[in-house]
């Protein structure tokens, strides 16, 4: 269980509970990850302009992806696994998600990316 606490995961389907509010998701994340950073999660939600009272079932796909990423980042894992969480999003939502992800990576010097983000709107490869 110790090792599991060091891993964050954001799935392709950006699983959220439709009947829970954004705030309920943050509270659940805080309870499940007591070593996480609740202030980071709440600040990200505020910066994204999400209403904490809004039900996850009423969020767009991109907004649910951002909520899932917020929960993954707030856990403060040593390893954050992303299982193509932007695969079903439109190009604008993908770009916004990637931008937020890169900002989160920049804040955590110990994080490294293992696969370059690909798809429309991605920077060209510099191999």
């Amino acid at each position: 269980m110790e090792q599991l606490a060091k891993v964050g995961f954001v799935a392709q389907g950006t699983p959220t509970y439709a009947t829970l509010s954004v705030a309920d998701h943050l509270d659940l994340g805080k309870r499940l990850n007591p070593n996480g950073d609740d202030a980071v999660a709440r600040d990200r939600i505020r910066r994204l302009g999400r209403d904490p009272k809004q039900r996850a079932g009423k969020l767009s796909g991109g907004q649910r992806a951002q909520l899932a990423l917020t929960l993954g980042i707030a856990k403060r894992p040593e390893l954050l696994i992303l299982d193509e969480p932007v695969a079903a999003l439109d190009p604008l939502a993908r770009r916004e998600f990637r931008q937020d992800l890169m900002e989160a990576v920049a804040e955590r010097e110990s994080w490294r990316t293992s696969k370059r983000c690909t798809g429309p709107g991605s920077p060209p490869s510099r191999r």
Side-chain angles (χ1 to χ4, degrees):
M1 286 300 241
E2 252 180 71
Q3 297 304 318
L4 188 57
K6 298 177 182 180
V7 178
F9 180 72
V10 180
Q12 181 174 355
T14 59
T16 56
Y17 297 98
T19 58
L20 294 183
S21 69
V22 170
D24 291 338
H25 279 86
L26 299 183
D27 291 341
L28 180 60
K30 182 179 178 180
R31 286 179 153 212
L32 293 174
N33 304 294
N35 294 327
D37 194 336
D38 186 58
V40 164
R42 294 187 187 281
D43 182 58
R44 275 187 51 77
I45 292 301
R46 183 189 53 74
R47 284 188 291 128
L48 292 168
R50 298 283 68 81
D51 178 0
K53 296 176 186 172
Q54 189 172 15
R55 302 245 178 254
K58 300 291 185 182
L59 299 174
S60 70
Q63 292 168 339
R64 284 192 310 275
Q66 291 290 6
L67 176 57
L69 178 62
T70 297
L71 293 170
I73 290 169
K75 185 175 181 178
R76 292 295 192 188
E78 291 180 23
L79 173 66
L80 180 60
I81 300 171
L82 303 174
D83 181 21
E84 300 189 39
V86 297
L89 302 180
D90 64 76
L92 179 59
R94 284 181 190 175
R95 190 174 307 120
E96 290 173 354
F97 183 94
R98 286 188 187 114
Q99 180 63 38
D100 281 351
L101 177 61
M102 292 301 109
E103 288 173 8
V105 169
E107 291 172 5
R108 288 286 305 242
E109 291 180 14
S110 63
W111 280 358
R112 299 290 181 259
T113 57
S114 63
K115 181 178 177 186
R116 187 175 70 81
C117 292
T118 59
S122 294
S125 178
R126 292 184 175 162
R127 296 177 194 206

